[in-house]
Structures are given as structure tokens and as C-alpha cells.
Amino acid sequence: MLELSRLTVPVIAIVIGEGSSGGALALGVGNKVFMLENAIYSILSPEGYASILWKDASRTKEAAQKMKLTAKDLYELKIIDKIIKEPKGDVQESFLKVAKSLKKEIQKSIEELSDMTSDAIVENRYQKFRNMGEYKFI
């Protein structure tokens, strides 16, 4: 994550399925992070979370809800920048629609980020990362 955060070129990350663990966490450091509508992204699998927290892997559904790992949850927490809709229907047709949506968002992001200096790109990632999530002071 540290090395990725220091890159002086734009980073665009896309979560397309199930992203979990430390490797997946690095994706959050991108200047832009997109996520397919039905993908999940977390630090740990719900089964692992339930096993650690409650010593009961059967509480997977409850763990998944608490973890806020859906695209909608992560968008609201400002962890991802865009949810890419996944149309229902024929797999091939759906794939082509998703690919087209991704291409559009990637092109738009490249245009936006290509106008930035190297220092601005790094600062953009830093500020984005600093503004993620919710903070509650007790």
C-alpha cells in the first residue's frame, strides 16, 4: 500500500468479483476505484470475520452485514468512487455492457487525471484516502 500510494502516475482500480485481504486493500489507494454492482470488497471474508469475532463461522450473513462490503455500502463510505451497474440477462450481452461502462469510466478518469502534475496525483490519492469512511468521536 505504501509503494502504491507513492506512485507518481494515476492509479485506477476496479473490483470485479470478490476482493479481500491485504492484497485487495491496496486497491483502495487508487486515485479512482470502481466496483461492479455485485462485487464485494473487504479486509477479510465474512466467514473469517465471523470465526474471529464470534468463534462461529455460521454467522456469515450477520458478519457480511456488519462488514459493509457491498458496492453500495462502500460508495456511501467514500471508499469507492463509482458503482458499475451489472445488467441482468444474457451473460455475453451483460459482459459487453459492463465492459462498455468500464471503458467509458476509465477514459473519463484518464482525461481527468492526465491534467494533473505528479505531485497533484499523489496528493489526490492521499486526500481521497484520508476522507474515507465515517469517524465518530465518543
Side-chain angles (χ1 to χ4, degrees), residues 54-122:
W54 302 300
K55 308 283 188 250
D56 182 359
S58 70
R59 294 176 71 178
T60 301
K61 186 173 182 179
E62 181 182 358
Q65 290 170 340
K66 289 191 178 293
M67 292 173 73
K68 305 285 186 200
L69 47 71
T70 68
K72 182 178 180 275
D73 291 330
L74 296 171
Y75 181 77
E76 290 171 1
L77 292 168
K78 299 180 186 168
I79 293 170
I80 66 167
D81 300 293
K82 181 90 175 177
I83 298 171
I84 306 298
K85 297 287 183 194
E86 295 182 75
K88 296 184 186 328
D90 178 74
V91 174
Q92 183 66 23
E93 184 179 320
S94 296
F95 173 80
L96 294 173
K97 286 180 181 178
V98 168
K100 193 176 198 177
S101 294
L102 280 172
K103 180 179 178 181
K104 177 181 150 198
E105 291 302 327
I106 292 168
Q107 287 174 327
K108 187 165 78 172
S109 296
I110 289 171
E111 283 180 33
E112 177 187 325
L113 296 166
S114 66
D115 291 337
M116 300 171 84
T117 66
S118 295
D119 289 340
I121 289 167
V122 174

Side-chain angles (χ1 to χ4, degrees), residues 4-13 26-34 78-82 109-110 112-113 116-129 132:
L4 188 60
S5 69
R6 292 179 177 166
L7 291 178
T8 58
V9 296
V11 175
I12 301 170
L27 297 176
V29 182
N31 294 89
K32 297 288 183 179
V33 179
F34 306 134
K78 299 180 186 168
I79 293 170
I80 66 167
D81 300 293
K82 181 90 175 177
S109 296
I110 289 171
E112 177 187 325
L113 296 166
M116 300 171 84
T117 66
S118 295
D119 289 340
I121 289 167
V122 174
E123 181 66 18
N124 170 269
R125 267 196 306 270
Y126 175 77
Q127 290 303 324
K128 181 176 180 283
F129 200 76
M132 287 180 182

